[in-house]
Structures are given as structure tokens and as C-alpha cells.
Amino acid sequence: MQERLYNFSAGPAVMPVSVLKKAQEEMLCLPGVGASVMEISHRSKPFDEIITAAETNVRTLLAVPDNYKVLFLQGGALTQFGLIPMNLIAGTDRSADYIVSGTWSKKAAAEAKTQGKVNIVWDGKVSGNGFRRKPSQSELALNPEAAYCYITLNETIEGIQYPVEPETGNVPLVADASSEIFCRPMDVNKYGILYACAQKNAGPAGVTMIIIREDLLDKAAIELPSMFSYKKQAEARSMLNTPPCFSIYMLRLVTEWLLHDIGGLDKMYAINKEKAALLYDVIDSSNGYYKGHADKEFRSIMNVPFRLPSEDLDKKFQQDAAQAGLMTLGGHRSVGGLRASIYNAMPREGVVALCEFMKDFQNKNS
Ligand SMILES: *Cc1c(COP(=O)(O)O)cnc(C)c1O
């Protein structure tokens, strides 16, 4: 078998090896079942145990309060860009506030406009010097009558995180946590809706987790197709139709790894901070050879975009890194340069290998 490389992909992204091994072990036959998870009814007892365990793990990891539902839906984060306004503002005069802090929140605002009134309360392209920082509370003129206020917690492409989430008073805070979920402990009480696609930090593509406060289930003003209705999905425990069984099974294994191998999100957070510090330290000690994209205070501990003194060097870096077994370091087109995604499952050794490579590359190419 070919050797696994250190994979810095932004998503779908690296998974814990022990999780992949467990899935491999059970690929042909779930213990006591006689078939794999892909071959049994989603209405069966073994699958009920899997989806229940996945939900219990999510609730335990994030201390999800009882007045929140946890949904496992299909269609990725982008589908939620549409479902959120569909369920909360479509067909009403109410508007939603959107904080545009990067590529993903910009896209979410554009999608929301297809469903209702959207108010861009801050645009980081202009006010954040090209999405290099998040807004401070004093920059936000929020509408106290808004149906919700929307944020993207970690902007995966620009590599910026909120040091603290905006304060929205009685207006429900709705957050895309796709590349933030499980990287640190979170206070779910702060949110009306907290959601994340799985393929960054929670499992493979195919399932999206929606943690939603119960009073928001019932806000739809227009009649929605069942699959688009949070209320109907919650009533059916995300099983109006066949759910993404395999992805939910994998999410269960990843959350088990977080709980039992890592020891919870406090521990995961400490590990993540240390890994990110190693990498940012190399950037900061390079005398400007490596330039990070984000303003320091807003640096993401999950995605680290940076560039070298020229585009040619960016290209050479990426090629030489691949030769050295460090894969998928290309940056997103809109930011350019390089990006190292160092999600939960990226081992510390992988980050150390990248740091050593960076120092060596600078010595040889400056
Ligand atoms: C990856 C990502 C998305 C898009 O997710 P899909 O599941 O591909 O729709 C949206 N928001 C953020 C913050 C992301 O990192």
C-alpha cells in the first residue's frame, strides 16, 4: 500500500488514521450485523444506534442544551445558505443582517438575497482591508428587529477567526461553523443556529450538522417542501428520507475519537493552538520571507494562508513540498499563494514537518 502523506487540504480534509482504520475493519461487516453500514436500512435498529450515538456525541462534546435540536442533513453548507433564509425570512417583511467577513459569508449573503431582505452590516472586503480581519462590535450597526444575524466563524479561504463572536442581543445569531466546529469548546447558548458541513473537521462530505434552537424551527412563513423545512426534519429526526448513512457513521467515529482518544474539546483546543503557534512562529521569524494573510489578532488556528516573495517562489514551494510528502498546500485563487489547513486530524508531526520544510526552503531560496 502507498504511504499516507501529510495532507493540508482545506476540504475534504485529513481524517484521523484510527477512524479510517476502524471504518476499514467494519467495511465488510458491522459487528453483530452481518453487513456494512451502507447495506442496511436506515430504519433498522443498528442504524438507529449509530445516528443516536452520533447525536449524543455531538451533544456531549459541545454541551448542547436540551432546547436545541441536532439535525443531520444533506446538501453541504451551501444548501444551508438557502435553507436558513427560506425558513426564517422568506415571504415576510423581516430582514436579516449579514456580516460579510470573507468569501463564504459573501456567498451566503448572495444566496440569502434569493429568499428575502438582506442587510449587509459590514463588508470586510472594504472595511477589513481585503478580508484580513473581523469587525469589532463598535463597527456593527445591527438591526434590533432583524430576524437573525449571520456570521461565518472561521473564514476557511482567508484564514480569519473571531476572537469573540459579535453580541447580537435578542437577535438570534446564526453561524456557519464549517471549519470551526470541534476545533475548540463553544457556548451553543450564544447561537440560534450553529451549523457545519462535515468535510473539514467532522467527517467525510455528505452530511451537514445543524444545531438549532427549538423556537426557530417554526418560523417559516411560506409552505416549504418537507426536505427544506427544519421543523419537519426535526420531527422526523433527520430521516424524512434516506439520510447519508455512511457519512453519519463516520461522523460518529470522528466524534468518538474526539471524546475518547483526544479527551474532549478543551484538550483538542490546546493541541490546535500549539500546532498553529508553531506554524505562525516560522512565518513571523522569517524576516518577511513568508507573509501571512490575516491580521495577527484574527489568525485562524485551522487555515493558514501565506505567500512568498514572488508567485514563482509560491509555485516552487508547492512543488518542492509535494516532493517532500507535504501535499495540497496551494492557496485559494482569490487569496493566492499557499494555504496550510491544519484541522484537528492533522498530527503535530505533520505541522513540525511543514515548519522544518519552510525553514529549509527559505535558506535555499532567498
Ligand atoms: C467548505 C465551506 C463551505 C462550503 O461547504 P459545502 O459543503 O461544500 O457546501 C461553506 N462555509 C465554510 C466556512 C466552509 O469552510
Side-chain angles (χ1 to χ4, degrees):
M1 194 181 68
Q2 205 200 323
E3 196 189 342
R4 279 173 67 81
L5 305 176
Y6 289 125
N7 175 11
F8 297 92
S9 170
V14 60
M15 302 261 294
V17 171
S18 62
V19 165
L20 295 174
K21 283 203 170 131
K22 175 96 175 163
Q24 183 182 40
E25 264 169 41
E26 297 183 347
M27 182 65 77
L28 295 182
C29 192
L30 281 172
V33 174
S36 79
V37 67
M38 289 170 278
E39 303 164 299
I40 58 172
S41 167
H42 55 291
R43 312 278 176 206
S44 65
K45 193 158 173 286
F47 187 74
D48 191 84
E49 278 168 20
I50 288 168
I51 193 167
T52 302
E55 175 171 347
T56 304
N57 291 351
V58 171
R59 286 187 177 276
T60 307
L61 281 167
L62 292 168
V64 178
D66 288 342
N67 61 326
Y68 285 74
K69 295 284 191 219
V70 177
L71 310 179
F72 296 112
L73 306 184
Q74 306 199 49
L78 237 72
T79 297
Q80 299 308 315
F81 291 4
L83 293 192
I84 289 160
M86 220 183 258
N87 279 268
L88 299 181
I89 56 171
T92 74
D93 289 333
R94 305 203 303 156
S95 66
D97 283 349
Y98 273 70
I99 297 176
V100 172
S101 61
T103 306
W104 286 120
S105 45
K106 187 172 176 205
K107 181 122 186 161
E111 292 286 310
K113 280 182 189 161
T114 68
Q115 298 302 311
K117 271 192 237 160
V118 165
N119 180 23
I120 308 287
V121 289
W122 192 78
D123 182 353
K125 176 113 186 158
V126 184
S127 311
N129 188 21
F131 300 136
R132 285 170 202 275
R133 66 177 184 91
K134 302 276 189 173
S136 61
Q137 192 69 35
S138 60
E139 291 174 277
L140 300 173
L142 299 175
N143 173 8
E145 304 295 322
Y148 62 93
C149 176
Y150 185 98
I151 60 170
T152 300
L153 283 169
N154 180 57
E155 290 283 0
T156 318
I157 291 172
E158 290 81 5
I160 51 177
Q161 262 171 324
Y162 280 97
V164 287
E165 298 91 327
E167 205 45 73
T168 58
N170 289 326
V171 173
L173 185 61
V174 171
D176 177 355
S178 291
S179 50
E180 175 116 359
I181 199 82
F182 302 147
C183 88
R184 62 174 175 96
M186 288 175 133
D187 181 2
V188 174
N189 280 303
K190 284 187 184 164
Y191 302 91
I193 300 176
L194 183 66
Y195 77 95
C197 59
Q199 70 269 21
K200 280 62 187 275
N201 238 356
V207 64
T208 302
M209 213 179 346
I210 292 93
I211 302 172
I212 177 166
R213 212 173 60 208
E214 280 168 354
D215 61 290
L216 297 175
L217 290 169
D218 213 1
K219 297 281 189 208
I222 54 173
E223 190 157 2
L224 297 174
S226 313
M227 286 297 287
F228 299 167
S229 159
Y230 288 140
K231 181 161 184 266
K232 288 187 179 153
Q233 289 283 10
E235 283 166 0
R237 292 184 60 227
S238 313
M239 289 197 275
L240 280 168
N241 70 342
T242 316
C245 301
F246 182 74
S247 297
I248 292 170
Y249 159 82
M250 291 298 285
L251 186 142
R252 182 239 176 126
L253 296 185
V254 171
T255 48
E256 232 154 59
W257 171 80
L258 283 167
L259 282 167
H260 302 130
D261 295 32
I262 298 296
L265 296 186
D266 282 314
K267 296 244 173 72
M268 192 71 254
Y269 189 33
I271 295 169
N272 285 332
K273 280 192 288 192
E274 206 255 339
K275 285 190 295 184
L278 291 173
L279 196 45
Y280 284 118
D281 187 50
V282 171
I283 291 174
D284 291 340
S285 339
S286 71
N287 286 318
Y289 187 77
Y290 296 111
K291 278 200 176 57
H293 176 78
D295 290 354
K296 278 191 187 173
E297 215 188 313
F298 302 91
R299 281 172 162 177
S300 168
I301 59 169
M302 292 283 102
N303 310 96
V304 182
F306 60 95
R307 41 170 80 245
L308 281 76
S310 73
E311 281 182 28
D312 283 347
L313 281 169
D314 286 346
K315 214 177 280 169
K316 181 167 167 42
F317 181 98
Q318 203 188 327
Q319 282 162 0
D320 290 6
Q323 292 280 315
L326 307 169
M327 67 182 265
T328 336
L329 280 161
H332 193 272
R333 250 176 320 148
S334 57
V335 178
L338 299 134
R339 172 173 49 168
S341 295
I342 49 172
Y343 295 118
N344 288 348
M346 169 56 65
R348 186 180 188 279
E349 302 85 75
V351 176
V352 169
L354 175 60
C355 290
E356 291 309 313
F357 175 84
M358 287 170 79
K359 288 186 240 172
D360 189 49
F361 188 92
Q362 181 178 0
N363 282 336
K364 287 184 182 143
N365 295 280
S366 59

